[in-house]
Amino acid sequence: MATLSADLTPVRPPASSRRRRRRRGTARIGWVAVLLTSLTIVAYSAVPYLMGSLEQLDPDRAPLAAAYSQTPGVVQVAFLVHVVGAAVALAVGPVQFWAASRRRLPRLHRWLGRTYLVGVAVGGTASLVMAPYNTAGMIGFLGFGTLGVLWVWTGWRAYRAIRAGDVRSHQAWMIRNFSLTFGAVMLRLWTGALVAAQAFAAGDAFDLDAAFTNAYNAVTVLAWVPNLVVAEWMIRRRGLPGLRIVDPSAPAAQPADRR
């Protein structure tokens, strides 16, 4: 009589499948971290500025209020408009990268996308009004001013791409744009890290005010330049269109009529 035997060794999924699962798990963890840090900054760094006039705000909760309360009225309005626009973009932005919402709720995705881009346009334009009055001087003017220009420009490119039906370019430009939006989070993280590093290096001679000034001068660039580098790496890794300065959706110039 023939003996039948069964191989009870568990079948392992292919290595490529395991790598995909690990990447998806890592992406979920990263998305949750971005969402939570974004909402935290909105709650603790944006909302306090909307709780009263700049002159009356607690400097411990709203440290920039005292400085901007001494600026012209139009700059004070621009500061508050910037806070609102940036808060809207920071709160809505992470949701737009949730793939399930794009598939299951496309109309919600489109309306949230419009809300996000309005927040970017409003917050970015207001930041350009504020830039000459920032508390970091010329360094801040160049750093924050460049950030404001790129924030508005990348948002415009994302809008133009989706209007032209170029979804992949739209995704790439939105990744770049949100990396700049996320600069609001990285500004706080870099400031804390740089102050802590100076405290460790200085020991008993540590001066908190001087350390904060040094850190704030550095984060005018550190808050967003590394973000753009990471964003471009993510774009290339996903096979999305690379950076092109010229808008491909813009109408081409007609050649001159030679007669």
Side-chain angles (χ1 to χ4, degrees), residues 34-50:
V34 168
L35 175 65
L36 293 179
T37 53
S38 296
L39 294 179
T40 299
I41 293 302
V42 170
Y44 289 96
S45 296
V47 172
Y49 288 101
L50 307 177

Side-chain angles (χ1 to χ4, degrees), residues 140-189:
F141 174 72
L142 294 175
F144 291 137
T146 304
L147 170 59
V149 170
L150 291 177
W151 198 26
V152 173
W153 178 65
T154 54
W156 171 246
R157 292 295 300 269
Y159 173 77
R160 286 294 303 275
I162 199 61
R163 292 291 295 174
D166 189 349
V167 175
R168 290 173 59 77
S169 290
H170 171 73
Q171 292 173 340
W173 283 109
M174 285 297 287
I175 290 172
R176 295 184 185 104
N177 184 265
F178 186 73
S179 75
L180 297 173
T181 302
F182 200 68
V185 175
M186 296 309 300
L187 184 147
R188 276 79 182 178
L189 296 179

